[in-house]
Amino acid sequence: MKSNSYKSILVAAASMLAVSCNDFLEPESLSTFDAAYIYSNVDDARKGVNAVYSHFGQDAFRSRLSNNFAGNTDIEHQSGWSSSGDRYQIWDLNALESNRDLEIVWTYAYRAIRDANISIEGLKASGKLESEDAAEARTMNHLLGEAVTIKAYWYSILTFYWGDVPFVDFAPVAGGEFLLPKADRNLILTEVINDMIEVEEKMMWADETPYGIEQVTREYTLGMIARLSLQRAGYFLKEDLNMTRATDYLDYYQIARDYSAKLIALKDRELPRDYRQVFLNQSKFISPVNADVLFEIPFALGNGDVAWNIGITVEGGPTSAHTFGSGNNYMAIPPTYYFSFDTLDVRRDVTCALYKVNSSFEEVFVNGSTNIAQGKWSRHFLENPPGASSAKGTGINWPMLRYSDVLLMFAEAENELNGPTPAAQEHLKRVRRRAFDEGLWAEKVDAYVTGVSASKEDFFEAIVDERAWEFGGEMIRKYELIRWGNYSQKMEETVEGLKKMADDAYNGTGDLPDYMYWKLDEKGDFTILNPNTKVVAPPDDSWTQVSFLLSMHDETKTYADWITKDWNNYYNGPKPGVARYIFPIPASAVANSQGTLDNSGYGF
C-alpha cells in the first residue's frame, strides 16, 4: 500500500510558510512572529521543514533533474540535435539563456534553498535544539539536519549545472540584500559540507523515524557528505573552458573516505541479494529500512514521473487492452553499455530492457538498438493499474542514494589516498558479490578484483566501470564523469565503440548480434534467443528476426545519425576534448539581478 508520507512531506507544506516571489533574489519575508511560532513546537516545525521537501514534487525535479538534465552519458543518451525545443537544447549541450527548463530548475532550486534557510534559522533561534525534553531536542535537531542536507543537495545541483552561483545562506528578511554576485563553487560546497558535518551526529537513523527512507535521515546525510566531498575534490569547468581541480582536493577525498567509513562502521548492512527487487520495491510501494536505498523521493499517487518518462515503454490509451496507461523512456541505453556487462552479471538484464509493452499488453522487442530501455522501473509493475488514459503521476518513488554507492565511494576515496588497499578491494567485492551467483565469486569477484588491483590507476578504472554497471539508468553518471574529468573522453570512446560495432556487423567480422531473435514462449514470456552473440539462423520459424547492431550502419552516411550526432557536442564542442556541461544562467535571473549576474565566459 502506498505510504501517505508524501502528503505530509512533499505536498502539505505548511500554509503559514506560503511565500510567493517573482525571483529568488526578491522573496517576500516572513514576520519574526510567524517564524518564532512555527519553530516553537515539534508539530509545526515538522510542517515548516516539509516546505523544503515540497519542491521535489515540482517539474524542476521530478522530470528535469531526475531525468532530462542528466543525459547524455556513456550509459544513457537522447538525441538533442533533432529539435530546438528546451529539453533538446539541454541534451545537445547548446541551451540558450531563454531556455524555460533552465529557468524552472534555477527558480525551484533557490526556492528550496530559501525554505531551507527559513527552517534552519527558525530551528536555531527556537531554543528547542537544547530543550530539556530529550525527545523534543532530538526531533528538532533531526529536523535541522533534514533542512541542512536538502539545502546541500540543491547547491550540489546548482554548482554542477551553473558552476559559480549566488550563495544565499540566510532566510529572507525585509530590507535584506538579495542582489548577490556569484560565489566560488568550491566555497559553496565547502560551506554546505561543513554544515552537514556539524549536524549529522544529532540526526536519527531511518529505523528511528516515522517515514524511514522516505525522508532525510542520518544515513543519507553521511552519504551526502561523502558524495559532495568527492564533488568538491573533483574536476570542474572554468570559464575559459579548461577543466581543473582545487589544490586541496586530497583533503576532500579524505573527508569522503572518513564519512563513508563512518556510515559503514555505525550502520553497516548486507546488500539485499536480489538486485531486481531493490527497484521493484519502488513500483510496489515498498520502502525497507536498513537495506540498499538510503533515501528516496516519496511521490504520492498522482505525482512523480517515474515510469512515465523513464523506464520501460508501455503503450496504452483508452483503446488499449490494459489499464496501466502510457509511459516511455527519454533516456535510452546505448548498445556499448549493454555489451560492456559480463553476460553473467545479473544487473544487465535488470538495467537494460530489450522489450516494451504494447497496447495488447504483450511484451515485444524494442524499436531497434537505439531504444534499449532503463529496465529498473515500469508502470506495468504496479499492482494497481492507474487507468488506461493515465500517464504522469505514477507515485513510484525515485532513489536518491543507495548503500552500494557508499561502499564504492569508500573504495574510490581509499584508493585515491592510499592505493588499492585490502579495505578498498573488499568494498568493491561487496558490490560485485551481489552481481553474480555465489558459485562464480572465486572468478568474477575475487580473481577479478585482484586483477584490477595491480595499480592505483587500474583500480580507479575498475571503479569507473563498476559504478556504470551498478547505477545504470539512475541518472547520476553525468555528475561522476564531470568530477572525474573524463566526460569528453568517455563520450568519444562511446562513439568509437558504436562505430566499431556497426562496422563489425556490416562486415560480418564481429561476434555480437547483428540481428536478434525473439518470441513469446509457451507461458507468454518474452524470450531472446541470442542476447549475447550472433547466430547464423534461428532453430525454427517461431522466432522473429529484428535488426540490431546492423541497424547502426547507414548505406549513405556509413553510421546512423544518432551515433555521430547525439554525443558530438560533448567531445567536439566549443573546445574539442572538453565537454561544456555548464549552462547559461536563465535570462530572467540575469534581468532580476540588476546587473549583478551575467553570462560571461564558457563560450556563451
Side-chain angles (χ1 to χ4, degrees), residues 585-604:
I585 296 172
S588 59
V590 172
N592 289 334
S593 76
Q594 299 181 28
T596 305
L597 302 177
D598 61 37
N599 276 312
S600 58
Y602 301 111
F604 296 141

Side-chain angles (χ1 to χ4, degrees), residues 450-525:
T450 297
V452 301
S453 300
S455 69
K456 174 180 174 180
E457 292 73 24
D458 289 348
F459 194 81
F460 168 74
E461 292 301 328
I463 292 293
V464 171
D465 289 341
E466 200 66 39
R467 292 190 66 89
W469 298 323
E470 179 69 16
F471 304 114
E474 295 175 55
M475 308 311 295
I476 62 174
R477 184 67 164 180
K478 182 173 186 175
Y479 310 125
E480 296 166 354
L481 297 177
I482 290 170
R483 67 176 180 82
W484 287 329
N486 60 0
Y487 199 177
S488 180
Q489 171 195 336
K490 285 295 182 183
M491 300 303 93
E492 190 164 12
E493 287 178 4
T494 298
V495 171
E496 292 307 310
L498 291 166
K499 287 180 177 179
K500 185 178 187 307
M501 287 180 179
D503 289 342
D504 288 347
Y506 180 70
N507 296 322
T509 54
D511 58 2
L512 296 176
D514 45 6
Y515 293 95
M516 282 193 181
Y517 298 88
W518 71 275
K519 70 176 180 178
L520 300 181
D521 65 17
E522 295 80 2
K523 298 179 180 178
D525 295 331

Side-chain angles (χ1 to χ4, degrees), residues 192-446:
V192 297
I193 290 167
N194 289 338
D195 288 345
M196 288 190 289
I197 289 173
E198 184 178 336
V199 300
E200 63 87 6
E201 289 192 345
K202 294 184 179 180
M203 294 181 69
M204 300 181 196
W205 302 110
D207 57 14
E208 298 176 313
T209 64
Y211 300 123
I213 63 170
E214 291 190 311
Q215 71 179 95
V216 170
T217 61
R218 191 179 182 191
E219 288 102 319
Y220 181 63
T221 299
L222 282 166
M224 285 293 281
I225 293 170
R227 177 176 278 183
L228 267 68
S229 294
L230 289 177
Q231 181 182 353
R232 173 64 170 78
Y235 289 90
F236 59 95
L237 187 66
K238 297 288 287 183
E239 291 185 359
D240 61 4
L241 295 182
N242 286 312
M243 294 291 288
T244 188
R245 72 196 318 177
T247 57
D248 60 353
Y249 74 95
L250 287 177
D251 294 342
Y252 288 88
Y253 270 106
Q254 187 68 52
I255 294 173
R257 185 215 176 276
D258 291 348
Y259 279 86
S260 55
K262 185 173 186 177
L263 175 53
I264 293 166
L266 294 177
K267 203 68 172 174
D268 197 13
R269 75 283 309 271
E270 289 297 320
L271 293 178
R273 285 293 302 150
D274 190 339
Y275 184 74
R276 182 180 297 277
Q277 190 64 44
V278 171
F279 309 99
L280 193 59
N281 282 343
Q282 285 127 36
S283 296
K284 302 298 184 185
F285 305 143
I286 301 169
S287 301
V289 298
N290 299 322
D292 195 353
V293 178
L294 303 185
F295 172 48
E296 59 188 24
I297 300 300
F299 290 122
L301 294 175
N303 202 287
D305 290 346
V306 184
W308 174 68
N309 64 358
I310 184 170
I312 296 169
T313 293
V314 177
E315 297 172 345
T319 62
S320 64
H322 64 85
T323 56
F324 285 91
S326 303
N328 53 34
N329 188 56
Y330 283 7
M331 287 290 161
I333 288 170
T336 40
Y337 174 58
Y338 175 83
F339 288 113
S340 74
F341 281 91
D342 187 300
T343 59
L344 298 176
D345 188 331
V346 301
R347 295 172 296 188
R348 186 192 69 175
D349 292 343
V350 174
T351 304
C352 308
L354 291 173
Y355 72 93
K356 65 180 180 178
V357 178
N358 66 19
S359 59
S360 298
F361 206 55
E362 297 173 324
E363 294 179 357
V364 298
F365 202 85
V366 294
N367 297 328
S369 57
T370 65
N371 289 287
I372 302 174
Q374 295 156 319
K376 292 177 176 176
W377 307 277
S378 177
R379 63 194 309 115
H380 86 292
F381 296 161
L382 292 167
E383 293 182 347
N384 296 309
S389 298
S390 63
K392 297 166 72 73
T394 62
I396 297 173
N397 287 358
W398 180 251
M400 294 286 279
L401 181 65
R402 298 198 282 112
Y403 193 61
S404 58
D405 199 336
V406 175
L407 297 176
L408 291 177
M409 285 193 290
F410 174 87
E412 179 184 343
E414 172 71 5
N415 180 62
E416 182 67 29
L417 294 165
N418 304 308
T421 62
Q425 293 180 47
E426 175 58 23
H427 286 74
L428 174 56
K429 288 180 181 180
R430 290 185 65 180
V431 175
R432 285 188 66 81
R433 286 182 189 124
R434 177 170 62 184
F436 296 94
D437 181 87
E438 188 171 353
L440 299 171
W441 285 0
E443 175 189 357
K444 302 297 184 180
V445 178
D446 298 333

